[in-house]
């Protein structure tokens, strides 16, 4: 594992400003990490040594937060890793369009119409049924490194 | 035979036989096994199938059918035993016995074995009702058989019958008969008292009668089978758990014979054979052991012949019996100062020596392909001997035969084994590993008593020398193994803790050997250690030092074990050998070998403070061993609070522990203690700051070393006076690198630092100390929460990390709350109460942060609640309720989804942990009513804890789903809290609104039908409390549970049953018709009584219907 790969500066692409360098040793289970330029959630960390008297290295198993692909990486613990900025915002659901897009109400009163319905069957039916029943639904949208996805739903009571 | 179906004629018997044969065959060929099984089972279940079974046994040509018939006899007879008349019983037993004897030479011996064991079981079943004369008749036949009158096969069958009889009567191997334990116990006692010795004698005679034939013949003769069976039976009888000599005859086995001293110190798993004085003639005086040894000696030359080999059954059985004889002890020997016992052991040892002596030649032979069984059995025998002798007796055994003592021989023997172990460098599981472990156990058995009781001259001087030689060799080999494995990269499992716990037992045994010759071994260790250190210093920058580093690592572990014991939570004392074996005068304290050794190591460790040395020599792994050593060493020696330790020790022994005094005063507060403490703190600071990312090392530093230092107040007093400690505290507050530690390490560090405040002079200053330490952290949280753009920046990874660190530090400080620092920590928490709520809102999607927030509040409340004054309590309670409501509003009705199932289950786990924390918070609040140190009553501020907690529970309960209750810990916490509330505050419960009330009832109902006994009994206790409360209150003319206890009309107009009658019904239902654990009976009864008293009418109606 060469050092360059873990230098945050070397990532000159658009995602660079959306990631932060952080020492590998401080990244814990349930934290986030960038592996192969994708934001991922760490589900397993273990440490080992490079040779008996060498330095510690971290072994990460992480899952892509959007696609759920699993990936592993090994990084010396004292080196830096990229950590993605993962943001989650709640919006009230206003409408579901025919072509599978949702219309969301932002905090400043505008609408946000560029998000598709989630592909997950369970969440999809919950949203569709809840909306059809006229419930007041709040969806939470996870965004990171220029990507967005609806990942949670909350029912805040019947529509008045 | 009357009672058997009278009209069974031949054809019927024949057809049943055919059916059973068919079924047995088809089971074997796996054709419709269920149906066939049913046919076979029906035979055993039918009434009095004996005649049929006997018919099958005598006539069937299918062996498995005969086997099934025997099993059916057993099943039916055990079941119907009470109805059978005496003649039937007798004839059944004698049928089985005769059958086994008559068919002794037939093939399919498993059928005969089965029949014989059925005979044994039936005999046991009737054992207590049959008169002695009848047993005599049966046993006469057996004896005739065993004597060999009817030939070798019958002789073998007779021995086998006794074997199954003995195993039936031994409690651990007996078959179930559906009778009380008392029955089995009486049978056991009767057999032991009246027959066991006779059986042994018969077997002995049988074995001797065939011995000549075996010895004279060069090939395997049928008698070998008989002899093997006889040896096995003898072994089995000697394995019997003899009790008559201890309880009935009132002879104290511990007072007889020299070999008994210190038995109570021995490890419990060692098996001793103590048949009592009655057995002396059979086992000792008859020359039995001599016969056995000469039998085996005669077998040994035959191992090259056809049919014999080292591991052939007769050889294995003979060796096992010989090893068993080594464990023989107690009143079977005369109390003649152990002379008889010694002669016995000597005789055995001379036989055993043949197997293992000379060790080098034997081990060479094994490496060249010889079987290792004699070697391993030899090790087992020596272990058995060590278990029944004192070191002196043990050592003297060999002296009568050889120029050397047994200890010297043992030392040579073990050296040889270790040599093979390291030269072959083999995997676990080879003979040298096993032999090494057994021999180490032997040393432990010999030396453990010396280690725990203070007796100087228990070990003969030659033995001390032998131990010294052996230890020297062990160190040499361990070092060689260390340097050989220095470049092995065995991956992640090979970090310090795992390797220590795996090696721990071995290292403890090494330590015992070292302590047996402490005045030689300590200087040896000092020498070896210094030599390695010199090598490091000379080779630094010139050659690769990995091997030397690994050697030092391994030495550090060995030395740590030799000079200090594991405290296991208590304060470890200076090991006995070190206390007593050195004669030192206090003027020359620095020449004390242990002081020399300790100083050498600490001086070496101190070199890691030099950056150049650190980079080239002090690898993370080496540092781990240093930290481990310092932690272990300091808890024994560093500023050991002499007072306590000395008093405990001196009360028992009036020795002048000059060695110990010198040691403790040298490392005491007024001597070198402070200097060393300073070094330790500096080294800790280095591991925390200069080893980035080395979590294991830093974990050891935080949890083992620093944590244990602040446990004692007098050390805290010294700590807070040290500059280095203040440097550590400063670094903690300001240094960036310490924010890179694992966050749980930061928590531990915060806890340690706050705890050291107990060493500050007065409570004013300790509060100031805490404020200085933690103040800026609270400030950070406050400022962060009031940032206008918080929502935007909060989720940035860098902010997320620092918020997490701060919260963990706060939590660490909160958990270190003591009366002295309580005020300061309360203020600390008070100042962040609102910010906590702000952060909870902002981070509601960041489950890791939510958990940290909750855990901080839990620990803070837990540490504070009992001290709080009324006004403070009100503030805290109010805060907790807001926290609960906020958490609930974020989570209720929320559905999180993810494509990844593992992320989903993580989310579930996070929720579980959150809820558990919330329940802990409520439990802490509850404790305010139990323990309260405040000056005024909290009621003054109108705080009613019970209402608060019910309200809290009301908020939390809807979040707890059935899925979450599958987490056992959450389930337990939840039901403990619930039953506690109902037991202590039934009156508040009665006042709840009907929604909350019904929810709790539903939960109780759920709990009553839970699988976990603990949960059910908690619910039962809650029910009992409710019903008793209602009964007492109504008895006094109050309403008790009031409307809830009556029936209620719900909104749709239907009458709902009152809660007490509802639970009376469901409890009775549970008790009468459902499966439940017998552990519940008493709690259930306790709950049932008040329920019945409250609902007499309903109970009687049910009763009559």
């Amino acid at each position: 594992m060469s050092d360059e790969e873990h230098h945050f500066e070397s990532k000159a692409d658009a995602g660079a400003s959306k990631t932060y360098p952080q020492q590998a040793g401080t990244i814990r289970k349930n934290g986030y990490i960038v592996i192969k330029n994708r934001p991922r959630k760490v589900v397993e960390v273990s440490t080992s040594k490079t040779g008996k008297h060498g330095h510690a290295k971290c072994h990460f198993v992480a899952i892509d937060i959007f696609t759920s692909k699993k990936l592993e990486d090994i990084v010396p613990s004292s080196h830096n890793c990229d950590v993605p900025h993962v943001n989650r915002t709640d919006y009230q659901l206003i409408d579901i369009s025919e072509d599978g897009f949702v219309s969301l109400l932002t905090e400043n009163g505008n609408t946000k119409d560029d998000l598709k319905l989630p592909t997950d069957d369970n969440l999809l039916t919950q949203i569709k049924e809840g909306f059809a029943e006229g419930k007041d639904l709040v969806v939470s949208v996870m965004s990171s490194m220029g990507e967005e996805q609806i990942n949670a739903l909350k029912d805040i009571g019947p529509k008045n | 035979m009357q009672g058997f179906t009278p009209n069974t004629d031949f054809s019927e018997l024949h057809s049943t036989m055919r059916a059973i044969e068919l079924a047995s065959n088809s089971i074997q060929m796996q054709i419709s096994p269920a149906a066939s099984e049913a046919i076979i089972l029906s035979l055993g279940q039918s009434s009095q199938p004996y005649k049929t079974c006997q018919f099958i046994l005598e006539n069937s040509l299918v062996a498995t059918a005969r086997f099934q018939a025997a099993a059916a006899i057993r099943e039916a007879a055990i079941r119907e035993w009470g109805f059978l008349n005496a003649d039937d019983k007798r004839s059944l037993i004698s049928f089985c016995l005769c059958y086994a004897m008559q068919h002794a030479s037939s093939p399919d011996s498993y059928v005969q074995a089965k029949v014989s064991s059925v005979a044994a079981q039936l005999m046991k079943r009737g054992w207590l009702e049959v008169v002695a004369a009848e047993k005599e008749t049966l046993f006469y036949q057996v004896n005739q058989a065993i004597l060999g009158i009817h030939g070798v096969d019958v002789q073998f069958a007779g021995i086998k019958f006794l074997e199954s009889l003995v195993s039936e009567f031994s409690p651990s191997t007996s078959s179930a008969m559906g009778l009380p334990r008392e029955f089995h116990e009486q049978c056991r006692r009767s057999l032991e008292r009246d027959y066991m010795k006779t059986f042994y004698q018969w077997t002995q005679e049988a074995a001797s009668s065939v011995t000549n034939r075996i010895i004279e013949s060069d090939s395997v003769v049928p008698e070998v089978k008989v002899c093997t069976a006889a040896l096995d039976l003898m072994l089995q009888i000697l394995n019997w758990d003899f009790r008559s000599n201890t309880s009935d005859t009132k002879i104290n086995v511990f007072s007889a014979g020299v070999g008994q001293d210190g038995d109570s110190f021995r490890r419990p798993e060692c098996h001793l054979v103590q048949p009592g004085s009655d057995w002396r003639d059979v086992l000792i005086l008859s020359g039995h052991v001599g016969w056995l040894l000469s039998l085996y000696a005669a077998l040994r030359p035959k191992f090259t012949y056809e049919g014999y080999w080292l591991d052939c059954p007769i050889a294995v059985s003979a060796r096992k019996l010989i090893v068993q004889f080594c464990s023989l002890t107690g009143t079977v020997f005369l109390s003649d100062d152990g002379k008889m016992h010694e002669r016995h052991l000597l005789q055995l040892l001379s036989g055993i020596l043949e197997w293992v002596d000379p060790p080098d030649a034997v081990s060479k032979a094994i490496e060249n392909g010889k079987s290792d069984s004699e070697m391993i059995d030899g090790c087992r025998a020596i272990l058995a001997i060590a278990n029944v002798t004192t070191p002196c007796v043990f050592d003297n055994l060999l002296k009568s035969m050889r120029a050397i003592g047994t200890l010297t021989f043992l030392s040579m023997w073990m050296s040889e084994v270790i040599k093979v172990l390291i030269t072959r460098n083999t995997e676990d599981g080879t003979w040298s590993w096993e032999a090494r472990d057994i021999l180490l156990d032997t040393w432990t058995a010999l030396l453990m008593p010396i280690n725990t009781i203070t007796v100087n001259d228990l070990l003969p001087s030659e033995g001390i020398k032998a131990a010294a030689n052996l230890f020297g060799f062990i160190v040499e080999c361990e070092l060689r193994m260390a340097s050989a494995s220095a470049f092995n990269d065995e991956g992640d499992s090979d970090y310090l803790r795992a390797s220590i716990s795996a090696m721990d037992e071995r290292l403890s045994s090494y330590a015992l050997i070292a302590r047996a010759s402490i005045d030689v071994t300590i200087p040896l260790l000092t020498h070896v250690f210094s030599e390695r250190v010199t090598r490091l210093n000379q080779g630094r920058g010139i050659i690769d030092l990995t091997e030397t580093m690994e050697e030092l690592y391994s030495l550090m572990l060995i030395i740590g074990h030799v000079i200090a014991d594991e405290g296991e939570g208590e304060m470890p004392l200076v090991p006995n050998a070190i206390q007593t074996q050195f004669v030192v005068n206090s003027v020359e304290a620095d020449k004390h070998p242990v002081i020399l050794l300790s100083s050498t190591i600490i001086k070496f460790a101190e070199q890691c403070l030099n950056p150049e040395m650190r980079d080239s020599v002090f690898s993370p792994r080496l540092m781990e061993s240093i930290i481990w050593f310092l932690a272990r060493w300091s808890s024994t020696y560093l500023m050991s609070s002499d007072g306590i330790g000395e008093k405990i020790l001196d009360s028992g022994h009036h020795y002048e522990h000059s060695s110990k005094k010198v040691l403790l005063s040298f490392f005491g507060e007024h001597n070198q203690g402070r200097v060393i403490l300073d070094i330790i703190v500096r080294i800790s600071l280095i591991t925390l700051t200069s080893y980035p990312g080395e979590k294991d090392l830093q974990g050891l530093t935080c949890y083992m070393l620093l944590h244990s230092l602040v446990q004692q107040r007098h050390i805290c007093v010294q700590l807070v006076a040290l500059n280095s400690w203040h440097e550590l505290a400063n670094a903690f507050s300001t240094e960036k690198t310490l924010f890179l530690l694992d966050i749980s390490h930061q928590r531990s560090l915060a806890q340690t630092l706050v705890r050291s405040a107990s060493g500050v002079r007065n409570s004013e200053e300790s509060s100031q100390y805490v404020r200085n330490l933690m103040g800026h952290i609270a400030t950070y949280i406050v400022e962060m929460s009031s940032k206008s753009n918080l929502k935007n920046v909060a989720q940035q990874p860098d902010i997320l990390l620092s918020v997490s660190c701060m919260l963990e530090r706060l939590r660490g400080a909160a958990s270190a709350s003591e009366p002295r620092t309580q005020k300061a920590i309360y203020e600390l928490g008070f100042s962040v109460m609102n910010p906590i709520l702000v952060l909870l809102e902002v981070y509601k999607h960041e489950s890791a942060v939510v958990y940290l927030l909750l855990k901080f509040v839990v620990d803070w409340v837990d540490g504070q609640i009992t001290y709080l004054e009324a006004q403070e309590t009100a503030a805290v309670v109010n805060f907790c309720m807001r926290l609960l409501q906020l958490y609930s509003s974020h989570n209720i009705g929320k559905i999180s989804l993810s494509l990844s199932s593992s992320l989903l289950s993580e989310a579930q786990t996070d929720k579980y942990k959150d809820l558990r924390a919330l329940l802990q918070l409520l439990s802490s609040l509850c404790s305010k009513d139990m323990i309260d140190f405040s000056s005024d009553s909290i009621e003054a501020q109108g705080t009613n804890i019970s209402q608060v907690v019910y309200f809290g529970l009301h908020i939390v309960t809807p979040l707890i789903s059935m899925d979450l209750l599958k987490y056992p810990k959450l389930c337990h916490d939840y039901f403990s809290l619930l039953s506690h509330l109902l037991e202590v505050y039934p009156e508040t419960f009665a006042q709840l609104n009907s929604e909350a009330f019904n929810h709790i009832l539903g939960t109780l109902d759920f709990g009553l039908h839970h699988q976990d006994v603990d949960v059910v009994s908690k619910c039962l206790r809650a029910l009992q409390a409710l019903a008793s409360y209602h009964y007492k209150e109504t008895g006094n003319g109050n309403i008790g549970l009031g409307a809830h206890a009556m029936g209620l009309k719900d909104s749709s107009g239907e009458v709902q049953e009152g809660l007490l009658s509802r639970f009376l019904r469901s409890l009775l239902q549970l008790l009468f018709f459902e499966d439940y654990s017998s552990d519940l009976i008493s709690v259930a009864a306790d709950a049932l009584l008040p329920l019945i008293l409250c609902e007499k009418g309903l109970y009687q109606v049910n009763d009559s219907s």
Side-chain angles (χ1 to χ4, degrees), chain A residues 28 49 53 56 88 107 153-154, chain B residues 550 619 624 694 791 846 889 895:
Chain A
R28 311 180 72 208
K49 287 198 169 73
H53 289 270
R88 262 156 306 190
E107 248 182 9
L153 170 74
K154 210 163 124 44
Chain B
E550 185 60 19
S619 72
E624 282 170 25
E694 299 295 337
K791 223 173 167 188
E846 208 54 64
S889 74
I895 306 160

PDB file of all heavy atoms in Angstrom, chain A residues 28 49 53 56 88 107 153-154, chain B residues 550 619 624 694 791 846 889 895:
ATOM      1  N   ARG A  28     -13.664   4.377  13.215  1.00  0.00           N
ATOM      2  CA  ARG A  28     -14.209   3.266  13.974  1.00  0.00           C
ATOM      3  C   ARG A  28     -15.304   2.568  13.190  1.00  0.00           C
ATOM      4  O   ARG A  28     -15.743   3.034  12.145  1.00  0.00           O
ATOM      5  CB  ARG A  28     -14.790   3.766  15.290  1.00  0.00           C
ATOM      6  CG  ARG A  28     -13.862   4.669  16.037  1.00  0.00           C
ATOM      7  CD  ARG A  28     -14.482   5.123  17.306  1.00  0.00           C
ATOM      8  NE  ARG A  28     -14.544   4.036  18.265  1.00  0.00           N
ATOM      9  CZ  ARG A  28     -15.459   3.940  19.210  1.00  0.00           C
ATOM     10  NH1 ARG A  28     -16.426   4.829  19.297  1.00  0.00           N
ATOM     11  NH2 ARG A  28     -15.446   2.943  20.055  1.00  0.00           N
ATOM     12  N   LYS A  49      -0.317  -6.177  12.768  1.00  0.00           N
ATOM     13  CA  LYS A  49       0.975  -5.521  12.629  1.00  0.00           C
ATOM     14  C   LYS A  49       1.644  -5.953  11.339  1.00  0.00           C
ATOM     15  O   LYS A  49       1.444  -7.072  10.872  1.00  0.00           O
ATOM     16  CB  LYS A  49       1.854  -5.893  13.821  1.00  0.00           C
ATOM     17  CG  LYS A  49       1.430  -5.221  15.106  1.00  0.00           C
ATOM     18  CD  LYS A  49       2.549  -5.273  16.117  1.00  0.00           C
ATOM     19  CE  LYS A  49       2.255  -4.393  17.298  1.00  0.00           C
ATOM     20  NZ  LYS A  49       1.231  -4.950  18.175  1.00  0.00           N
ATOM     21  N   HIS A  53       7.439  -6.842  14.805  1.00  0.00           N
ATOM     22  CA  HIS A  53       7.851  -5.592  15.431  1.00  0.00           C
ATOM     23  C   HIS A  53       7.589  -4.390  14.551  1.00  0.00           C
ATOM     24  O   HIS A  53       8.205  -3.350  14.700  1.00  0.00           O
ATOM     25  CB  HIS A  53       9.313  -5.686  15.862  1.00  0.00           C
ATOM     26  CG  HIS A  53       9.494  -6.606  17.023  1.00  0.00           C
ATOM     27  ND1 HIS A  53       9.429  -6.185  18.325  1.00  0.00           N
ATOM     28  CD2 HIS A  53       9.659  -7.959  17.077  1.00  0.00           C
ATOM     29  CE1 HIS A  53       9.571  -7.229  19.128  1.00  0.00           C
ATOM     30  NE2 HIS A  53       9.704  -8.318  18.400  1.00  0.00           N
ATOM     31  N   ALA A  56       1.289  -0.781  13.421  1.00  0.00           N
ATOM     32  CA  ALA A  56      -0.079  -1.294  13.286  1.00  0.00           C
ATOM     33  C   ALA A  56      -0.676  -0.886  11.941  1.00  0.00           C
ATOM     34  O   ALA A  56      -0.338   0.154  11.386  1.00  0.00           O
ATOM     35  CB  ALA A  56      -0.927  -0.741  14.415  1.00  0.00           C
ATOM     36  N   ARG A  88     -27.373  14.325   6.081  1.00  0.00           N
ATOM     37  CA  ARG A  88     -28.743  13.841   5.954  1.00  0.00           C
ATOM     38  C   ARG A  88     -29.717  14.972   6.244  1.00  0.00           C
ATOM     39  O   ARG A  88     -29.579  15.684   7.226  1.00  0.00           O
ATOM     40  CB  ARG A  88     -28.980  12.658   6.871  1.00  0.00           C
ATOM     41  CG  ARG A  88     -28.853  11.368   6.096  1.00  0.00           C
ATOM     42  CD  ARG A  88     -28.513  10.235   6.952  1.00  0.00           C
ATOM     43  NE  ARG A  88     -27.330  10.532   7.731  1.00  0.00           N
ATOM     44  CZ  ARG A  88     -26.708   9.623   8.434  1.00  0.00           C
ATOM     45  NH1 ARG A  88     -27.157   8.394   8.453  1.00  0.00           N
ATOM     46  NH2 ARG A  88     -25.638   9.947   9.133  1.00  0.00           N
ATOM     47  N   GLU A 107     -36.587  23.503   3.480  1.00  0.00           N
ATOM     48  CA  GLU A 107     -36.798  24.348   4.656  1.00  0.00           C
ATOM     49  C   GLU A 107     -37.205  25.764   4.288  1.00  0.00           C
ATOM     50  O   GLU A 107     -38.001  26.387   4.962  1.00  0.00           O
ATOM     51  CB  GLU A 107     -35.504  24.386   5.490  1.00  0.00           C
ATOM     52  CG  GLU A 107     -35.649  23.701   6.810  1.00  0.00           C
ATOM     53  CD  GLU A 107     -34.380  23.786   7.626  1.00  0.00           C
ATOM     54  OE1 GLU A 107     -33.444  24.520   7.249  1.00  0.00           O
ATOM     55  OE2 GLU A 107     -34.320  23.091   8.660  1.00  0.00           O
ATOM     56  N   LEU A 153     -37.727   7.049   6.391  1.00  0.00           N
ATOM     57  CA  LEU A 153     -39.068   7.604   6.277  1.00  0.00           C
ATOM     58  C   LEU A 153     -39.636   7.714   7.668  1.00  0.00           C
ATOM     59  O   LEU A 153     -39.418   6.870   8.523  1.00  0.00           O
ATOM     60  CB  LEU A 153     -39.903   6.630   5.443  1.00  0.00           C
ATOM     61  CG  LEU A 153     -41.402   6.861   5.380  1.00  0.00           C
ATOM     62  CD1 LEU A 153     -41.695   8.036   4.487  1.00  0.00           C
ATOM     63  CD2 LEU A 153     -42.085   5.624   4.839  1.00  0.00           C
ATOM     64  N   LYS A 154     -40.372   8.803   7.902  1.00  0.00           N
ATOM     65  CA  LYS A 154     -40.976   8.958   9.211  1.00  0.00           C
ATOM     66  C   LYS A 154     -42.388   9.468   9.021  1.00  0.00           C
ATOM     67  O   LYS A 154     -42.638  10.373   8.237  1.00  0.00           O
ATOM     68  CB  LYS A 154     -40.158   9.939  10.034  1.00  0.00           C
ATOM     69  CG  LYS A 154     -40.208   9.682  11.495  1.00  0.00           C
ATOM     70  CD  LYS A 154     -39.066  10.402  12.170  1.00  0.00           C
ATOM     71  CE  LYS A 154     -39.550  11.323  13.241  1.00  0.00           C
ATOM     72  NZ  LYS A 154     -40.553  10.843  14.135  1.00  0.00           N
TER      73      LYS A 154
ATOM     74  N   GLU B 550      12.639  -9.451  19.976  1.00  0.00           N
ATOM     75  CA  GLU B 550      11.683 -10.502  20.299  1.00  0.00           C
ATOM     76  C   GLU B 550      12.132 -11.264  21.548  1.00  0.00           C
ATOM     77  O   GLU B 550      11.313 -11.676  22.373  1.00  0.00           O
ATOM     78  CB  GLU B 550      11.528 -11.444  19.098  1.00  0.00           C
ATOM     79  CG  GLU B 550      10.474 -12.515  19.233  1.00  0.00           C
ATOM     80  CD  GLU B 550       9.063 -11.983  19.445  1.00  0.00           C
ATOM     81  OE1 GLU B 550       8.813 -10.800  19.140  1.00  0.00           O
ATOM     82  OE2 GLU B 550       8.207 -12.746  19.936  1.00  0.00           O
ATOM     83  N   SER B 619      10.073  -0.995  19.434  1.00  0.00           N
ATOM     84  CA  SER B 619       8.968  -1.268  18.523  1.00  0.00           C
ATOM     85  C   SER B 619       7.674  -1.281  19.338  1.00  0.00           C
ATOM     86  O   SER B 619       7.699  -1.460  20.550  1.00  0.00           O
ATOM     87  CB  SER B 619       9.164  -2.621  17.873  1.00  0.00           C
ATOM     88  OG  SER B 619       8.930  -3.624  18.829  1.00  0.00           O
ATOM     89  N   GLU B 624       4.649  -2.785  24.187  1.00  0.00           N
ATOM     90  CA  GLU B 624       3.512  -3.465  24.815  1.00  0.00           C
ATOM     91  C   GLU B 624       3.987  -4.301  25.990  1.00  0.00           C
ATOM     92  O   GLU B 624       3.388  -4.293  27.061  1.00  0.00           O
ATOM     93  CB  GLU B 624       2.783  -4.355  23.799  1.00  0.00           C
ATOM     94  CG  GLU B 624       1.883  -3.572  22.864  1.00  0.00           C
ATOM     95  CD  GLU B 624       1.362  -4.417  21.720  1.00  0.00           C
ATOM     96  OE1 GLU B 624       1.272  -5.658  21.860  1.00  0.00           O
ATOM     97  OE2 GLU B 624       1.049  -3.837  20.664  1.00  0.00           O
ATOM     98  N   GLU B 694      -1.250   3.081  17.304  1.00  0.00           N
ATOM     99  CA  GLU B 694      -1.002   1.776  17.936  1.00  0.00           C
ATOM    100  C   GLU B 694      -2.047   1.565  19.028  1.00  0.00           C
ATOM    101  O   GLU B 694      -1.790   1.756  20.217  1.00  0.00           O
ATOM    102  CB  GLU B 694       0.416   1.726  18.510  1.00  0.00           C
ATOM    103  CG  GLU B 694       1.515   1.900  17.490  1.00  0.00           C
ATOM    104  CD  GLU B 694       1.568   0.766  16.485  1.00  0.00           C
ATOM    105  OE1 GLU B 694       1.074  -0.335  16.794  1.00  0.00           O
ATOM    106  OE2 GLU B 694       2.101   0.992  15.381  1.00  0.00           O
ATOM    107  N   LYS B 791     -25.982  23.388  11.891  1.00  0.00           N
ATOM    108  CA  LYS B 791     -26.622  22.362  11.086  1.00  0.00           C
ATOM    109  C   LYS B 791     -25.792  22.006   9.856  1.00  0.00           C
ATOM    110  O   LYS B 791     -25.774  20.856   9.412  1.00  0.00           O
ATOM    111  CB  LYS B 791     -28.005  22.846  10.651  1.00  0.00           C
ATOM    112  CG  LYS B 791     -29.013  21.749  10.794  1.00  0.00           C
ATOM    113  CD  LYS B 791     -30.401  22.210  10.555  1.00  0.00           C
ATOM    114  CE  LYS B 791     -31.278  20.982  10.405  1.00  0.00           C
ATOM    115  NZ  LYS B 791     -32.614  21.312   9.996  1.00  0.00           N
ATOM    116  N   GLU B 846     -27.218  10.464  13.235  1.00  0.00           N
ATOM    117  CA  GLU B 846     -25.874   9.927  13.414  1.00  0.00           C
ATOM    118  C   GLU B 846     -25.879   9.046  14.656  1.00  0.00           C
ATOM    119  O   GLU B 846     -25.564   9.489  15.757  1.00  0.00           O
ATOM    120  CB  GLU B 846     -24.905  11.105  13.557  1.00  0.00           C
ATOM    121  CG  GLU B 846     -23.504  10.826  13.112  1.00  0.00           C
ATOM    122  CD  GLU B 846     -23.420  10.295  11.705  1.00  0.00           C
ATOM    123  OE1 GLU B 846     -23.787  11.018  10.753  1.00  0.00           O
ATOM    124  OE2 GLU B 846     -23.023   9.127  11.576  1.00  0.00           O
ATOM    125  N   SER B 889     -39.284  11.464  19.910  1.00  0.00           N
ATOM    126  CA  SER B 889     -39.883  12.126  18.755  1.00  0.00           C
ATOM    127  C   SER B 889     -39.059  11.865  17.495  1.00  0.00           C
ATOM    128  O   SER B 889     -39.585  11.848  16.392  1.00  0.00           O
ATOM    129  CB  SER B 889     -40.012  13.625  19.009  1.00  0.00           C
ATOM    130  OG  SER B 889     -38.748  14.218  18.919  1.00  0.00           O
ATOM    131  N   ILE B 895     -38.797   4.625   9.870  1.00  0.00           N
ATOM    132  CA  ILE B 895     -38.406   3.405   9.179  1.00  0.00           C
ATOM    133  C   ILE B 895     -37.110   3.689   8.443  1.00  0.00           C
ATOM    134  O   ILE B 895     -37.078   4.510   7.530  1.00  0.00           O
ATOM    135  CB  ILE B 895     -39.473   2.987   8.149  1.00  0.00           C
ATOM    136  CG1 ILE B 895     -40.826   2.878   8.831  1.00  0.00           C
ATOM    137  CG2 ILE B 895     -39.088   1.690   7.488  1.00  0.00           C
ATOM    138  CD1 ILE B 895     -41.956   2.962   7.860  1.00  0.00           C
TER     139      ILE B 895
END
